[in-house]
Amino acid sequence: MMNSIVWPKNYQPGKTDNFVSNEVIVAGLTSQDVWLYLQNAYLWPSYYKNASDVVLSHGKKYLVLGEKFSFKTFGFPIDAEIMELNQPQEKTAARIAWHGWTGEEDTRLDVYHAWLIEDLPDHWVRILTQETQIGLPAQALAKVRPNPMLNGHQAWLDGLVEIALSNKTN
C-alpha cells in the first residue's frame, strides 16, 4: 500500500477552492537521492524555473520543522512555514509540507503544499506532490485551462528527477 499526504482539516482536497496532484515513479533513485534537492530550498531555482528569491529565516540552507521562509513562485511572493518534515528512513516515507500565503484580505491566497517521497520495491522511488489552495485567486486559478499549477508542479517534479538522476553517486 502506498502512503498518502497528511492534510490539515481546513486544507483537505475537495474542501478547498483548488487542488492539484502530481506524481512520478522512477527507477534507479532512492528517497535519499531526491531528498537533498527538496530540503535545500536554495537549490529549487536550479531545477525549477518557477522558484526564485528563496530566503530561509535561520540562514542555513536546509528547511527544518517550524522554519519560516519565503520565495517567489509564478512571480508571486510567498511567505511560508514548514508544517511537516520527516527525512527519509528505511521503510518510512519522507515528507515535507508547508503552509504558504500571499496577498491581503480579498486577494489573499492560502496554500498547503506537501511532498511525499517513498522507496518502492526493486529500486524504484515514488514522488508525490499535492497542493490545496483557498481564496479568490484559487477559485479563478481552478478555472484556467490548461491548469498552470498542474503543469508547473509537473515541471518541478521533472526537474527534481532530472537533477537527482544527474547527480546520483552510485
Side-chain angles (χ1 to χ4, degrees):
M1 181 169 142
M2 291 189 203
N3 288 282
S4 61
I5 301 295
V6 178
W7 293 102
K9 183 179 179 183
N10 293 343
Y11 293 93
Q12 293 173 339
K15 296 181 179 180
T16 61
D17 296 315
N18 196 15
F19 168 71
V20 294
S21 179
N22 299 74
E23 176 179 33
V24 294
I25 296 177
V26 182
L29 287 176
T30 68
S31 56
Q32 289 286 353
D33 296 329
V34 173
W35 182 252
L36 163 72
Y37 301 102
L38 276 179
Q39 191 181 14
N40 183 340
Y42 290 114
L43 292 177
W44 296 351
S46 71
Y47 64 89
Y48 178 51
K49 71 177 184 172
N50 286 321
S52 67
D53 302 321
V54 176
V55 177
L56 277 62
S57 63
H58 64 41
K60 297 178 183 173
K61 66 181 182 177
Y62 294 106
L63 294 167
V64 296
L65 187 62
E67 169 89 33
K68 294 197 174 166
F69 69 106
S70 63
F71 67 106
K72 284 186 181 174
T73 186
F74 292 94
F76 294 101
I78 303 291
D79 291 314
E81 181 177 358
I82 299 296
M83 307 304 289
E84 182 180 23
L85 191 140
N86 298 313
Q87 297 195 17
Q89 297 178 23
E90 191 173 331
K91 298 184 182 183
T92 304
R95 298 173 179 274
I96 189 166
W98 57 83
H99 169 229
W101 58 91
T102 189
E104 305 279 330
E105 305 267 337
D106 60 337
T107 63
R108 185 172 170 96
L109 175 66
D110 272 291
V111 305
Y112 195 86
H113 192 130
W115 292 83
L116 184 141
I117 309 159
E118 66 181 323
D119 293 311
L120 300 175
D122 300 321
H123 307 289
W124 292 75
V125 69
R126 174 182 179 231
I127 309 167
L128 171 67
T129 187
Q130 296 181 328
E131 181 172 298
T132 57
Q133 303 173 334
I134 299 170
L136 290 177
Q139 292 171 15
L141 190 58
K143 296 175 184 174
V144 176
R145 298 293 180 267
N147 186 313
M149 293 302 299
L150 187 66
N151 292 336
H153 288 169
Q154 189 62 47
W156 199 342
L157 270 174
D158 293 345
L160 178 61
V161 168
E162 184 178 322
I163 197 168
L165 283 170
S166 69
N167 292 303
K168 183 145 174 72
T169 57
N170 288 19

